């Protein structure tokens, strides 16, 4: 296997590692577009394009940023936590060609012709360390007025500059993150290209309609999603790990298929950060230094929406039920 190596301090060898194929380990093969198009489609949603490659019949490799290998440590610790059944199984960390990869469960293995939705969780989607700098930036001011020329205050117009914190909070208010505690990042329905254009989906009704479109108005799928969200909520509350970690930039991955088999997993933990000597409620409003992320605000909101969509279809004026999409 050349210069590949595993890090047993982070993870244990698993029987699935025997399925790593020679083609996967060729320098030109991992992360290639040809491989991606013929394998796990969900990995090309939102910001995932180019970061995954198949490792075997049931696992994938996820490339890690050069400056952050925290996701592997997070997944390793979660293997023995209350949420272990609602996150992808983690097998090992691999270093290949000076790049670190995580080998983990391919969640699509459970489905046939899957439909996938990525929902970014939390009222805050930036790390506190990213916005501590009080520097006024002209470039962020220009970005702001391109989006909304009426947003800057009188003082900000005089300075023609804003802080990164101001800009990040402005962007979050422009989505459903600030108001609902989550936002839809991407959707891919079977037979259709991926859609990441949800910048105008702000209100609860707009979010509900978008989810209804994603599930093709099938209450049976929504019922499974509702039960799974309740399970995730229960396990999250029991998690010792998340009592002392802020969860920023994490998603819930919704998947269902043509057999109306549906499930959800918690994914993306690169920005999950340990907060010593402090208990995070994941529900309280954020103040600088407080580390609250609003994850449970979004989870509770999703539970309510999915409960509503689980009801039988509405009837038309002539008394006929509105048919679900085929």
């Amino acid at each position: 296997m050349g210069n590949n190596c595993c890090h047993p301090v982070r993870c244990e060898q698993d029987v699935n590692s025997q399925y790593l194929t020679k083609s996967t380990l060729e320098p030109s093969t991992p992360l290639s577009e040809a491989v991606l198009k013929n394998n796990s489609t969900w990995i090309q949603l939102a910001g995932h394009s180019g970061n995954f490659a198949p490792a075997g019949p049931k696992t994938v490799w996820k490339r890690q940023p050069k400056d952050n290998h925290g996701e592997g440590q997070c997944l390793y610790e979660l293997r023995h936590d209350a949420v272990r059944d609602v996150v992808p199984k983690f097998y090992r960390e691999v270093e290949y060609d000076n790049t670190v990869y995580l080998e983990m469960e391919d969640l699509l293995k459970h489905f046939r012709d899957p439909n996938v939705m990525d929902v970014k969780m939390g009222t805050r989607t930036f790390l506190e360390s990213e916005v501590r700098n009080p520097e006024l930036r002209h470039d962020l001011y220009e970005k702001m007025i391109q989006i909304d020329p009426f947003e800057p205050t009188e003082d900000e117009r005089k300075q023609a500059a804003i802080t990164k914190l101001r800009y990040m909070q402005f962007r979050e208010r422009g989505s459903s993150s600030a108001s609902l505690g989550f936002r839809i990042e991407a959707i891919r329905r079977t037979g259709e290209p991926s859609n990441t254009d949800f910048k105008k989906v702000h209100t609860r009704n707009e979010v509900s309609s978008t989810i209804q479109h994603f599930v093709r108005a099938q209450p049976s799928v929504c019922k499974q999603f509702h039960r799974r969200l309740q399970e995730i909520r229960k396990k999250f509350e029991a998690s010792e790990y998340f009592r002392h970690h802020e969860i920023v930039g994490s998603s819930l991955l919704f998947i269902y298929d043509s057999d109306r088999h549906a499930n959800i997993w918690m994914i993306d933990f690169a920005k999950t950060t340990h907060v010593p000597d402090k208990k995070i409620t994941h529900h309280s409003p954020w103040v600088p230094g407080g580390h609250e992320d609003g994850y449970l605000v979004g989870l509770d909101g999703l539970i309510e929406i999915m409960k509503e969509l689980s009801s039988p279809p509405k009837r038309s004026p002539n008394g006929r039920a509105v048919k679900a999409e085929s």
Side-chain angles (χ1 to χ4, degrees):
M1 296 181 66
N3 62 344
N4 299 289
C5 63
C6 299
H7 302 278
V9 66
R10 288 258 181 114
C11 52
E12 301 169 2
Q13 288 284 358
D14 185 271
V15 66
N16 282 326
S17 64
Q18 67 180 295
Y19 294 115
L20 286 169
T21 63
K22 182 177 184 297
S23 62
T24 302
L25 300 177
E26 291 296 330
S28 61
T29 300
L31 319 178
S32 71
E33 288 301 317
V35 171
L36 291 173
K37 288 179 180 178
N38 291 320
N39 290 277
S40 300
T41 52
W42 70 271
I43 64 180
Q44 299 188 71
L45 290 178
H48 294 296
S49 182
N51 285 330
F52 286 76
K58 297 182 179 180
T59 64
V60 293
W61 278 9
K62 181 179 181 181
R63 179 167 55 189
Q64 297 300 282
K66 291 185 181 297
D67 60 346
N68 183 357
H69 297 169
E71 184 167 20
Q73 185 65 37
C74 175
L75 288 172
Y76 178 69
E77 294 183 33
L78 289 178
R79 297 190 320 160
H80 305 291
D81 188 79
V83 300
R84 60 186 175 274
D85 295 328
V86 295
V87 300
K89 292 180 182 177
F90 173 62
Y91 297 108
R92 61 175 185 160
E93 186 177 86
V94 178
E95 183 175 345
Y96 174 74
D97 198 23
N98 297 319
T99 301
V100 175
Y101 301 87
L102 305 181
E103 185 177 356
M104 63 179 67
E105 177 185 15
D106 179 1
L107 298 176
L108 290 189
K109 71 180 182 181
H110 307 287
F111 301 89
R112 184 180 66 173
D113 297 328
N115 303 268
V116 187
M117 178 172 67
D118 183 317
V119 176
K120 189 73 68 181
M121 299 298 294
T123 54
R124 175 171 59 92
T125 58
F126 56 87
L127 291 172
E128 293 197 359
S129 59
E130 294 177 310
V131 295
R132 285 177 184 157
N133 191 339
E135 175 189 1
L136 294 173
R137 292 176 52 176
H138 296 287
D139 61 324
L140 296 181
Y141 175 82
E142 291 298 325
K143 287 184 177 180
M144 174 185 280
I145 62 176
Q146 287 178 9
I147 298 171
D148 185 353
F150 302 103
E151 173 65 22
T153 65
E154 183 177 345
D155 287 341
E156 289 169 345
R157 291 183 188 281
K158 290 178 181 178
Q159 296 170 327
I162 57 175
T163 64
K164 185 171 183 179
L165 173 58
R166 170 75 166 100
Y167 178 74
M168 295 298 289
Q169 290 180 316
F170 159 68
R171 288 300 303 269
E172 287 185 345
R173 289 204 322 271
S175 71
S176 60
S177 292
S179 59
L180 300 180
F182 67 89
R183 68 172 181 255
I184 298 173
E185 285 283 283
I187 285 177
R188 182 190 180 279
R189 302 204 313 175
T190 302
E192 301 177 8
S194 299
N195 182 6
T196 59
D197 186 17
F198 297 103
K199 294 182 178 63
K200 295 182 180 180
V201 179
H202 299 163
T203 69
R204 191 179 189 278
N205 285 341
E206 290 168 345
V207 169
S208 182
S209 295
T210 302
I211 294 175
Q212 183 80 322
H213 174 73
F214 166 64
V215 300
R216 294 179 165 85
Q218 299 180 90
S220 62
V221 171
C222 293
K223 285 180 181 178
Q224 293 178 71
F225 281 154
H226 181 243
R227 286 195 297 267
R228 180 65 162 179
L229 287 169
Q230 289 180 308
E231 178 186 2
I232 292 172
R233 181 65 160 83
K234 183 178 180 180
K235 292 179 181 295
F236 191 102
E237 286 279 19
S239 171
E240 183 64 31
Y241 184 86
F242 287 133
R243 287 192 181 98
H244 301 286
H245 286 77
E246 60 178 327
I247 314 170
V248 174
S250 181
S251 290
L252 287 178
L253 192 69
F254 292 70
I255 312 177
Y256 76 94
D257 60 19
S258 55
D259 296 326
R260 300 188 182 184
H261 169 217
N263 215 331
I264 307 170
W265 285 267
M266 299 174 66
I267 63 169
D268 293 344
F269 300 103
K271 292 185 177 182
T272 297
T273 307
H274 180 242
V275 182
D277 304 321
K278 189 175 184 65
K279 182 178 178 180
I280 310 298
T281 70
H282 305 284
H283 207 285
S284 300
W286 176 71
V287 294
H291 296 281
E292 290 291 347
D293 49 48
Y295 193 102
L296 289 181
V297 175
L299 186 54
D300 288 341
L302 278 168
I303 289 173
E304 286 301 312
I305 289 175
M306 211 58 73
K307 180 180 179 180
E308 293 171 4
L309 297 179
S310 299
S311 302
K314 296 180 180 180
R315 295 185 174 276
S316 62
N318 61 11
R320 295 180 180 178
V322 177
K323 292 184 179 180
E325 295 182 44
S326 58

